[in-house]
Amino acid sequence: MSTRQISVLGLESSCDETAAAVVRLTLDEAGQLAGPGDILSNQVLSQIDLHAPYGGVVPEIAARAHITHMDRLVQQALTQAEVTLDDLDGVAATAGPGLIGGVLIGLTMGKALALAANKPFIGINHLEGHALTVRMTQAVAFPYLLLLVSGGHCQLLGVTGLGQYQELGSTMDDAVGEAFDKAAKLLSLGYPGGPEIERWAKKGNPEAYPLPRPLIDRHNLDTGSGAELACEFSFSGLKTALRQKADKLAPLNDGHVSDLAASFQAAVMDCLADRTRNAMQVFRMLHNLSGEVPLVVAGGVAANQALRARLETEAGAQGYSLCAPPPALCTDNAAMIAWAGAERMAGAERMAGAEPIVDAMATPAQARWPLADVSA
Ligand code: KG4
Ligand code: ZN
């Protein structure tokens, strides 16, 4: 039986998606999630066509496109959800990390809407949006291990509660999505590179070219040196090896491209699987967890079907169960931002003496904002 519902409008503009959504969270009598959230609307405008000619996101072009389209998307999100600003409990917007011009646009518009409608405003860390998406889609309970893999991030985090994110490891160089994008560019495939590599890899032989698996088997879980590397990632050496192989084979025909894509994707999967395996052991040990623990994968790269299948197997072997949002909610969207806002409003209500949430009006825009720095 439900006792309280929280409806939030969310805005996202930190990279190359302009997005607005309305989401409703339902609490049970104990103030806990009564079940998955209701996505009342989810408007996403991708800027891929604008950036594709450059093979990557151009910040100035992204910011200009956000400002051109955000007001219309907000209007569409409210219309699709059949609500007005008055019906909402709050307004949330991404406050970082991301391209600062874009972040400022969504954040400023979110604050303005909240002020005009006299509603609380909540500034959201974009990564927290990705981290909490599975609670919106599947009502996954804390604690869980999170593999966050996107264009800008590659991290393993222990999530023990709202605002409780412990970094177990992250990339020492490129993010995994960035590695996919660079590999695709090198093979003259389209942008974004992840889906292109995945598509070409399906036609290729993953064992055609032996590529390095950086840091693999570098684990030393209980003592001494090397322990800090147990959950770290590195992709730049792999990218260089791919370039050297491609240079040697040039000019590339379709067979080369599909075999290179398949070999590259296989190497990435091995690295992600190896490090996630270490993290599953570390997380279980750190929190003395018994029984089945959720392994959550989120971020744009989580849309990759080969990765999902591989993680499913790895999770099973460690007594974990894989939970992944549907692919459309893995890539950037505003439903996850609205949801994180609703979770924060619910969290503030639960905490006696919590700061009045309207203070969030002072939230600054931040280009860099590690999730581990986000507090409850
Ligand atoms: O989360 P996201 O939409 O934006 C960021 O916050 O970065 O992630 C975008 C990244 C891009 O690098 C894109 O190439 C990658 O996710 N990606 C994929 C797939 N779909 C998107 N990578 C591998 N396989 C995919 N199917
Ligand atoms: Zn993202």
Side-chain angles (χ1 to χ4, degrees), residues 143-145 156-160 164-169 221-222 227 230-231 277-290 293 320:
Y144 52 83
L145 177 66
L156 280 155
L157 294 140
V159 181
T160 47
Q164 290 166 8
Y165 313 108
Q166 181 187 15
E167 189 179 302
L168 300 176
L221 291 178
D222 34 23
C231 307
R277 205 181 303 130
N278 291 352
M280 285 191 279
Q281 293 174 30
V282 170
F283 188 54
R284 193 181 278 288
M285 227 156 53
L286 279 177
H287 297 281
N288 212 358
L289 301 171
S290 58
V293 181
Y320 277 69

Side-chain angles (χ1 to χ4, degrees), residues 4 18 26 89 112 115 124 153 155 170 176 181 193 195 214 216 226 232 239 275 285 311 328 336 346 355 372:
R4 167 134 169 74
T18 315
T26 304
D89 295 290
L115 265 179
I124 297 297
H153 301 272
Q155 299 175 347
S170 68
V176 63
D181 293 337
I216 214 145
E232 304 293 318
K239 180 190 62 195
R275 247 36 58 71
M285 227 156 53
L311 289 176
M336 70 181 191
E355 295 276 298

Side-chain angles (χ1 to χ4, degrees), residues 45-57:
L45 181 71
S46 168
Q47 303 176 358
I48 283 176
D49 292 348
L50 294 178
H51 302 291
Y54 306 94
V57 179

Side-chain angles (χ1 to χ4, degrees), residues 125-137:
N125 180 303
H126 177 88
L127 304 175
E128 184 171 52
H130 281 303
L132 299 176
T133 300
V134 280
R135 290 175 52 78
M136 171 175 71
T137 57

